Amino acid sequence: MTANHSLDTVNPTAATPRSMPQPAEPDPRMPRLAASPGFREFMQRGWGDADRAPLVPAGAPEAAARHRERLSAAFAGRTLAVAAGRAPMRVNDNAHEFRADSDFLWLAGAAVEDAVLVLEAAGSRHDATLYLPAPFRPGDEGFFADPLRGELWVGPMPGLQEYAEALGVRTRSIDDLDLPADALIGGTVPLDGPASSFAGRPRSGELARVLAELRMIKDEWELAELRAAVDATVEGFAETALEIPRAVRAGGERWMQGTFDRHARTVGAGVGYTSIVGSGAHAPILHWVRAEGDIDPEALLLLDLGVERRSGFTADVTRTLPASGSFGAAQREVHDLVEASHRAGLAAVGPGRDWADFHTACMEVLARGLDDWGLLPVSVDEALSPGGQQHRRYIVCGVGHHLGIDVHDCSASSHAAYQGATMRPGMALTVEPGLYFHAFDETVPPELRGVGVRLEDDLVVTAEGSEVLSVALPIDADGIERWMAGLR
Ligand code: GLY
Ligand code: MN
Ligand code: MN
């Protein structure tokens, strides 16, 4: 080491290749260290082994290998590159937690930041190689000088060897990545970082579509992951509902949201999407993620929650609870109608059914119920006709979607493969009708203003029909009241 090495230069004596840029500016917490030859010399030696084994979900490498085979068969002769992405910065030098691109997770079996999985065409099949940045290890200046990647800052980092062993794929330094001009590019390609060499190339819509359509049919391992995510979410509902009295006293929606988020982070990787906690007038707001309100003890409380596992698989479950433990008369009426719609939707899920069937079934029940309450300005038939749709004023969102590694899974699929398709065993989806009467909606009577109800379950299409994975949470008002009472 010589004194003229500064923190923004690369140590030329280091044995390990590296690809991450050094920080442009030295970290302000170590400016004097940067200039200290004694410190630099001492930092070169005396480091023993660390546990650098990556956290890889059991069964994920084998599942990923099967997924690569399926993708390979769809793209004979084409080289494919799927990038994992990198954690976006949150404030100047602080990054968000990394969440890998879903297609990458499906194909690689683990979240490897800044990595690119390449399936190189080899005749009619492909050779898989994971290109990743070599971490900063003892002997590298970045080991102690890079606050984003240095092991002394962020903890031991798996490298090429550890990932090769854990995932069962060949690994190479991303510095060696040299994609052919006609490679199809997928995943999340960050504009900076080691994969940025091809950031300017267009992503292949065809690759994204094929991956989405392949991901639509879940295998046994994927279904087990989904089941575990739903089970963990059901537990989280109980933990969160138990906090209602505390949240009413102080903390409100944030306390409830934080309770579920802590649970999700403890038993899984975190939440699959921002937890929605809406009390009273917030319940009808579809994406009420702000959680800024109090919990009104007399109002309904809508909870839309999902635990995401390390594999990326997430649940997506909604229940609407009376904060007091008992539904009021108007609240119960709305809940009953949503329940009837939900049951009609669940009954319309099965192999060979049109994807649109459960949507039609849910909407028909809602429209009839709204008509019974005198809320439709036209007949039910006219409302249900393509040119009508007046009932949708009270439900502007869809009533379900594919579910998997993305909460809204397979969204890059073609219309024919998604909305226009028939259901097949192995598909996973949500059914989630609701009624949303906004507090400022003058078309509804005062007792309905600020009432929002959604019921959302996670299902798998089976050979015989369907299985509701979230069945442990009741969907009827009496059952919900009993479930709440049983928590105490
Ligand atoms: N939580 C998002 C959704 O229900 O689709
Ligand atoms: Mn959903
Ligand atoms: Mn949801």
Side-chain angles (χ1 to χ4, degrees):
M1 268 294 185
T2 56
N4 65 356
H5 283 154
S6 70
L7 280 177
D8 57 356
T9 62
V10 169
N11 176 2
T13 63
T16 317
R18 91 209 89 205
S19 55
M20 293 299 296
Q22 293 286 339
E25 296 294 332
D27 186 275
R29 284 167 290 178
M30 55 182 305
R32 293 197 311 128
L33 288 175
S36 164
F39 165 76
R40 286 161 175 275
E41 189 282 324
F42 192 36
M43 292 300 278
Q44 294 300 307
R45 53 194 164 85
W47 304 103
D49 280 343
D51 180 4
R52 296 185 168 96
L55 272 175
V56 175
E62 296 77 10
R66 293 192 296 273
H67 300 159
R68 291 194 295 272
E69 289 297 318
R70 293 175 62 202
L71 182 64
S72 172
F75 284 101
R78 299 299 302 268
T79 290
L80 315 172
V82 179
R86 68 172 5 195
M89 299 309 281
R90 183 172 182 277
V91 290
N92 70 330
D93 60 352
N94 276 246
H96 283 282
E97 189 167 52
F98 175 59
R99 203 289 189 174
D101 177 89
S102 296
D103 284 334
F104 178 91
L105 269 178
W106 194 72
L107 292 166
V112 188
E113 189 167 7
D114 276 323
V116 180
L117 181 74
V118 176
L119 299 187
E120 193 182 344
S124 62
R125 44 179 301 283
H126 290 81
D127 291 328
T129 306
L130 184 66
Y131 290 82
L132 68 149
F136 295 126
R137 293 275 167 85
D140 298 334
E141 189 156 298
F143 173 63
F144 58 84
D146 187 330
L148 289 180
R149 311 283 299 196
E151 287 195 327
L152 289 192
W153 295 82
V154 300
M157 298 266 284
L160 275 64
Q161 186 184 336
E162 290 83 4
Y163 275 119
E165 286 167 7
L167 298 179
V169 289
R170 188 169 58 167
T171 55
R172 290 184 67 177
S173 167
I174 198 149
D175 294 340
D176 300 333
L177 179 59
D178 183 18
L179 286 177
D182 65 349
L184 298 180
I185 293 172
T188 301
V189 185
L191 292 174
D192 57 357
S196 61
S197 61
F198 56 89
R201 294 206 215 169
R203 278 176 84 238
S204 162
E206 186 193 3
L207 176 56
R209 179 185 59 74
V210 170
L211 277 164
E213 292 172 11
L214 288 174
R215 279 171 45 192
M216 218 175 243
I217 304 297
K218 276 70 180 173
D219 59 30
E220 284 306 315
W221 179 82
E222 292 176 283
L223 291 178
E225 283 294 306
L226 198 54
R227 210 178 286 281
V230 173
D231 290 349
T233 300
V234 169
E235 282 172 25
F237 265 86
E239 291 204 10
T240 306
L242 274 169
E243 293 296 309
I244 291 175
R246 164 64 170 84
V248 167
R249 280 199 310 279
E253 294 170 347
R254 283 282 161 108
W255 186 268
M256 305 284 292
Q257 190 185 50
T259 301
F260 185 79
D261 292 0
R262 170 166 50 82
H263 170 80
R265 242 178 117 64
T266 307
V267 303
V271 292
Y273 52 91
T274 306
S275 302
I276 297 173
V277 177
S279 169
H282 296 153
I285 303 173
L286 293 171
H287 287 174
W288 178 254
V289 291
R290 288 186 245 159
E292 285 167 340
D294 296 332
I295 304 292
D296 178 347
E298 301 307 319
L300 292 179
L301 174 60
L302 185 148
L303 301 174
D304 186 342
L305 308 171
V307 170
E308 178 177 297
R309 288 174 55 83
R310 281 192 185 280
S311 60
F313 280 86
T314 185
D316 178 14
V317 178
T318 305
R319 290 295 184 271
T320 308
L321 312 177
S324 66
S326 306
F327 285 90
Q331 295 168 352
R332 182 177 290 264
E333 253 192 288
V334 178
H335 198 280
D336 286 351
L337 178 52
V338 173
E339 181 198 341
S341 169
H342 192 62
R343 288 188 188 280
L346 296 180
V349 173
R353 298 295 300 256
D354 286 345
W355 176 264
D357 280 359
F358 76 95
H359 171 94
T360 307
C362 287
M363 288 302 175
E364 196 171 314
V365 173
L366 292 178
R368 290 191 192 290
L370 289 166
D371 185 52
D372 289 345
W373 296 343
L375 293 181
L376 288 187
V378 296
S379 70
V380 170
D381 285 347
E382 188 176 341
L384 290 172
S385 72
Q389 302 296 306
Q390 287 83 353
H391 58 290
R392 297 295 298 271
R393 178 184 180 104
Y394 310 110
I395 173 166
V396 297
C397 58
V399 294
H401 50 84
H402 280 274
L403 181 68
I405 299 183
D406 287 319
V407 59
H408 297 158
D409 214 35
C410 312
S411 57
S413 304
S414 66
H415 187 274
Y418 196 134
Q419 295 85 352
T422 52
M423 292 186 177
R424 287 177 286 153
M427 285 182 171
L429 69 150
T430 70
V431 172
E432 51 176 307
L435 283 172
Y436 308 98
F437 300 119
H438 289 272
F440 55 100
D441 189 337
E442 295 175 351
T443 68
V444 298
E447 67 273 19
L448 289 186
R449 293 183 196 168
V451 172
V453 172
R454 172 162 67 255
L455 274 169
E456 179 172 27
D457 274 317
D458 300 343
L459 289 82
V460 176
V461 180
T462 63
E464 298 78 32
S466 70
E467 180 187 353
V468 182
L469 302 181
S470 41
V471 72
L473 290 175
I475 58 173
D476 61 302
D478 286 346
I480 287 172
E481 289 178 352
R482 278 196 302 275
W483 176 81
M484 289 181 75
L487 296 172
R488 299 190 195 105

